[in-house]
Every structure is written in C-alpha cells, then in structure tokens.
Amino acid sequence: MKKYLLIFSILLSSFYAVQAQDGQPVDETKQQEKIQALYVAYITQQLALTPDEAQKFWPVHAQFTSELKAVKTDMPELDKQQIFLNIKKKYQENFNRILGVNRCERFFRMDGEFKRRLLDRIKNNRCDQLRPNQRPKLRRGQ
C-alpha cells in the first residue's frame, strides 16, 4: 500500500514539476488529460483491476462520470449532494457486478481520496506561488 502511495505521490509531483517549468501556463486540456491518466493509473492500481475487469469497469465509469458532470452547479448545495448520492447509488450495482462488493466500496473511497489529494496538492502549489519572497533553502556549504 505504501509503495502505491509513493508511486502516486511521485507521479503527482512530476505533474506539478512539469507544470511549473519556465513559468509557462499549461494548456488546460493537457492538464486535464494528465490528471485523468493519473486517476486511471491510481484507481487501476488500488483496485488491482485485471485487464478483463478494466475493460468492463472503465466504460461504466465513463457513464458514471458524465452523469456526475451533468449535474447543475447553480442549485442549492444539499440538493446537489443528494443528486450526487443518487447517481452513486444508481451505479453501485453495476460496479458491484464488475468489482464485487468490497472493491466497489473501496472504489468510492479511493475516488474521494484521489480528489482530496489532488485538491490539497493544487492548494499547496498555489500557496507556494503566492509567497514569491520566500527564500530557497540552501544546503550547507553553498
């Protein structure tokens, strides 16, 4: 488990290192593609998906994601959360058939964990950018 978290952290760090190079803005679609690739790799590893399971899982996941994205953002927060919950319950049976109950539960946890880590990483990256006068740490003898 620690090995997977280390790999995930390294991949996410390299993503932000590439983004920060030369101070050039990163094309938003490329950034979304990289995040999606990290997400697919993370979920595939965490759930230990076989090629057959992955072939069944990812199309259902794409439908699941498109329904979540279709939810209107201008509605009251509790209504929006209820709709998200209803969509998750709707797809839970499909995920159960593909993954089994335990891995389905784990998928929903890992999905949330990935999003939290990504948001934390973005937040920390922005905070670092807001402190331009911060001196770099130097090693001894420099």
Side-chain angles (χ1 to χ4, degrees), residues 41-142:
Y42 180 73
I43 295 297
T44 300
Q45 278 185 331
Q46 292 298 313
L47 297 178
L49 294 177
T50 66
D52 185 48
E53 289 171 334
Q55 188 176 14
K56 294 175 185 175
F57 174 78
W58 290 112
V60 174
H61 184 275
Q63 293 172 342
F64 169 70
T65 303
S66 66
E67 279 196 41
L68 289 175
K69 287 180 179 178
V71 175
K72 294 180 182 177
T73 58
D74 61 346
M75 62 176 51
E77 185 62 28
L78 289 178
D79 292 342
K80 193 168 36 173
Q81 287 181 12
Q82 184 63 51
I83 291 171
F84 286 149
L85 182 61
N86 291 342
I87 293 170
K88 287 179 180 182
K89 285 181 178 182
K90 175 182 168 183
Y91 279 90
Q92 182 179 12
E93 184 60 36
N94 292 337
F95 291 137
N96 277 341
R97 271 189 260 120
I98 297 166
L99 303 172
V101 175
N102 291 336
R103 287 197 302 165
C104 176
E105 293 290 326
R106 187 173 176 152
F107 160 68
F108 286 114
R109 279 195 314 268
M110 294 297 107
D111 181 61
E113 182 178 320
F114 180 86
K115 291 173 184 172
R116 277 190 300 279
R117 287 178 179 216
L118 182 63
L119 290 174
D120 287 346
R121 197 64 184 218
I122 291 169
K123 178 181 158 189
N124 289 338
N125 191 29
R126 286 189 181 155
C127 287
D128 290 344
Q129 289 176 356
L130 293 175
R131 294 181 272 186
N133 295 332
Q134 192 176 29
R135 291 177 42 192
K137 294 180 182 177
L138 299 176
R139 287 185 259 161
R140 247 185 229 174
Q142 288 185 336

